[in-house]
Amino acid sequence: MKTIFLAITAMMMASPAFAASATSSIPMSVEIAKQCTFSNVASEIILKEDGSETTAGYTVTCNTPYSIFADNAKWEGGWYGYISNTQNERIRTKFQTRAVSDNAIVTLHAGSQPLPRPGSSVDAYLITAQIDLINSPITATTRAGIYTDTYLVDVYY
């Protein structure tokens, strides 16, 4: 009798005593906004009078795919920009920007479409800039003073 009693007790414990049940669910979600930020941005690019390359850089952090495009405020045409003084005397310059990770060239000026990037990453970019001494030689009669331009970068996401 003892063995049968234990078997019946175990069966009763395995079957719940409830006659009905109800369930519910509440969906959960969060929306992460698309964002891109710049960091490690060079404070300025100092060009060298001898025409050798100067480098600078910046980092773009995006949580979504993006495209990047570079330009400068003073554009001569083609792949050239220029720096100028207060008398608007011009010295031609050359710029190029590359992605450090894969050496892809960032589109400069309105030549073609912005460079597409996969995003969800931290991407470093390297700028190389120089005075174009072939087309704008600096001579003994080049007016003294400060010649300026502004490098611009746009990220579309």
Side-chain angles (χ1 to χ4, degrees), residues 19 46 83 88 114 122 132:
I46 304 295
I83 52 178
N88 202 29
V122 178
D132 179 15

Side-chain angles (χ1 to χ4, degrees), residues 4-20:
I4 294 174
F5 176 71
L6 290 174
I8 292 172
T9 304
M11 276 182 29
M12 288 179 73
M13 292 178 80
S15 301
F18 305 112

Side-chain angles (χ1 to χ4, degrees), residues 70-92:
D71 205 346
N72 53 352
K74 299 174 182 175
W75 180 40
E76 177 90 352
W79 291 98
Y80 295 95
Y82 63 91
I83 52 178
S84 61
N85 60 13
T86 56
Q87 292 82 20
N88 202 29
E89 296 170 325
R90 299 176 178 192
I91 298 174
R92 213 170 193 188

Side-chain angles (χ1 to χ4, degrees), residues 63-115:
N63 66 355
T64 188
Y66 69 97
S67 295
I68 187 167
F69 175 83
D71 205 346
N72 53 352
K74 299 174 182 175
W75 180 40
E76 177 90 352
W79 291 98
Y80 295 95
Y82 63 91
I83 52 178
S84 61
N85 60 13
T86 56
Q87 292 82 20
N88 202 29
E89 296 170 325
R90 299 176 178 192
I91 298 174
R92 213 170 193 188
T93 57
K94 297 188 283 188
F95 282 86
Q96 187 175 71
T97 305
R98 290 184 177 271
V100 172
S101 63
D102 61 359
N103 225 20
I105 296 174
V106 174
T107 305
L108 184 61
H109 306 302
S112 61
Q113 296 297 317
L115 176 67

Side-chain angles (χ1 to χ4, degrees), residues 44-56 83 91-95 127-134 136-139 142 145 147:
E44 64 182 328
I45 299 170
I46 304 295
L47 298 172
K48 299 174 186 169
E49 284 183 56
D50 67 2
S52 60
E53 285 185 345
T54 298
T55 60
I83 52 178
I91 298 174
R92 213 170 193 188
T93 57
K94 297 188 283 188
F95 282 86
I127 305 163
T128 55
Q130 65 189 111
I131 293 173
D132 179 15
L133 292 178
I134 294 171
S136 290
I138 295 175
T139 66
T142 301
Y147 292 71

